[in-house]
């Protein structure tokens, strides 16, 4: 079912469940070409989440800052192509949430092992804040923190399960958000991890 959490925030429960095996196979192929890796923040902290990317642009972080890069810094090669089914999934979910014509050029793959978390932050490395962001949750469940436009604003806790798709746009695009530490568990398809696909228009 479709749940509007805020004016520009829509949770599509189980939206990706029917194609979970196809998505997992595609993720496996991408991370064979561009392996998941831990990145350091500009402050020198190691992130607990492991990341990779596909599409025209990949999100990278190092001592010089956060940015989108056309090549994987680990091997100098372009990121793997974004599979057609990824683009269709993101575009369809965005349209169902009221954002038609979404054409993502970047897909970040975040892998959370038990204990991994993401601190409160805003997504502001993209050029065009008018495009929505689409997030697909797979594997172990997680508690998502949906904050406000200021860091100190109280955050809503939202349970995200396998197959859930969240779309953010308009006035909610710049909300602070994060993910609480993932609890240990075993998912039948993905095993001991949560994978999140984040689709964006980076450039
Ligand atoms: C995740 N990833 O579950 C999340 C899904 C990231 C990240 O946050 O930056 O890699 S995307 C959540 C998101 C994106 C844009 C806006 C908002 C949430 N929001 O306004 O809450 O790995
Ligand atoms: Fe984010």
């Amino acid at each position: 079912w479709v749940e509007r959490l805020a004016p520009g925030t829509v949770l599509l429960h189980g939206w990706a469940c029917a194609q979970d095996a196809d998505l997992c196979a595609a993720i496996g192929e991408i991370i064979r070409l561009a392996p998941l890796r831990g990145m350091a923040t500009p402050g020198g902290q190691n992130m607990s989440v492991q990341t990779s990317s596909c599409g025209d642009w990949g999100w990278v972080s190092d001592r010089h800052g956060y940015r989108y890069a056309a090549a994987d810094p680990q091997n100098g090669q372009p990121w793997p192509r974004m599979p057609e089914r990824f683009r269709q999934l993101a575009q369809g979910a965005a349209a169902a949430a009221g954002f038609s014509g979404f054409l993502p050029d970047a897909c970040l793959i975040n892998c959370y092992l038990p204990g991994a978390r993401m601190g409160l932050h805003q997504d502001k490395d993209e050029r065009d804040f008018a495009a929505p962001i689409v997030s697909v949750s797979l594997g172990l469940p997680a508690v998502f923190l949906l904050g406000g436009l200021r860091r100190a604003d109280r955050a809503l806790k939202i349970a995200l399960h396998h197959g859930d798709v969240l779309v953010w746009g308009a006035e909610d695009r710049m909300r602070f958000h994060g993910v609480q530490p993932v609890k240990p568990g075993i998912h039948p398809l993905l095993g001991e991890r949560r994978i999140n696909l984040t689709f964006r228009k980076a450039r």
Side-chain angles (χ1 to χ4, degrees):
W1 72 106
V2 175
E3 187 178 2
R4 190 168 292 273
L5 298 172
T9 307
V10 177
L11 174 50
L12 305 161
H13 291 269
W15 182 268
C17 279
Q19 43 177 315
D20 60 357
D22 287 345
L23 295 173
C24 282
I27 292 166
E29 179 62 16
I30 292 161
I31 64 178
R32 189 177 65 78
L33 299 167
L36 291 165
R37 79 292 303 264
M39 295 211 200
T41 66
Q45 299 275 71
N46 289 319
M47 295 177 63
S48 59
V49 177
Q50 307 264 108
T51 63
S52 183
S53 286
C54 67
D56 295 340
W57 301 96
W59 184 86
V60 299
S61 172
D62 59 22
R63 298 210 163 243
H64 305 288
Y66 306 116
R67 64 190 173 279
Y68 284 94
D72 180 348
Q74 216 135 293
N75 59 16
Q77 295 290 117
W79 297 98
R81 295 176 57 91
M82 189 185 301
E84 183 59 18
R85 69 164 67 84
F86 278 26
R87 197 189 53 71
Q88 282 175 3
L89 170 63
Q91 196 166 49
F99 303 97
S100 56
F102 178 47
L103 265 182
D105 57 10
C107 171
L108 174 66
I109 300 169
N110 285 147
C111 179
Y112 297 74
L113 299 181
R117 59 185 285 276
M118 191 173 286
L120 272 188
H121 67 279
Q122 290 172 299
D123 289 13
K124 49 188 182 186
D125 302 319
E126 299 74 27
R127 186 164 292 171
D128 177 9
F129 295 150
I133 291 181
V134 174
S135 148
V136 179
S137 291
L138 296 168
L140 291 178
V143 175
F144 183 80
L145 297 169
L146 178 62
L149 295 177
R150 291 165 305 181
R151 184 178 288 278
D153 290 344
R154 181 181 299 281
L156 278 179
K157 291 181 183 176
I158 298 162
L160 291 181
H161 297 100
H162 178 75
D164 287 351
V165 178
L166 257 170
V167 180
W168 288 273
E171 62 260 58
D172 296 323
R173 169 68 178 70
M174 298 310 287
R175 282 178 184 264
F176 278 88
H177 58 277
V179 178
Q180 288 194 338
V182 169
K183 292 193 176 137
I186 297 182
H187 184 271
L189 187 63
L190 282 111
E192 218 175 0
R193 60 195 171 149
R194 167 178 192 256
I195 289 192
N196 183 272
L197 304 176
T198 308
F199 294 93
R200 302 187 176 93
K201 178 129 186 62
R203 309 301 284 259

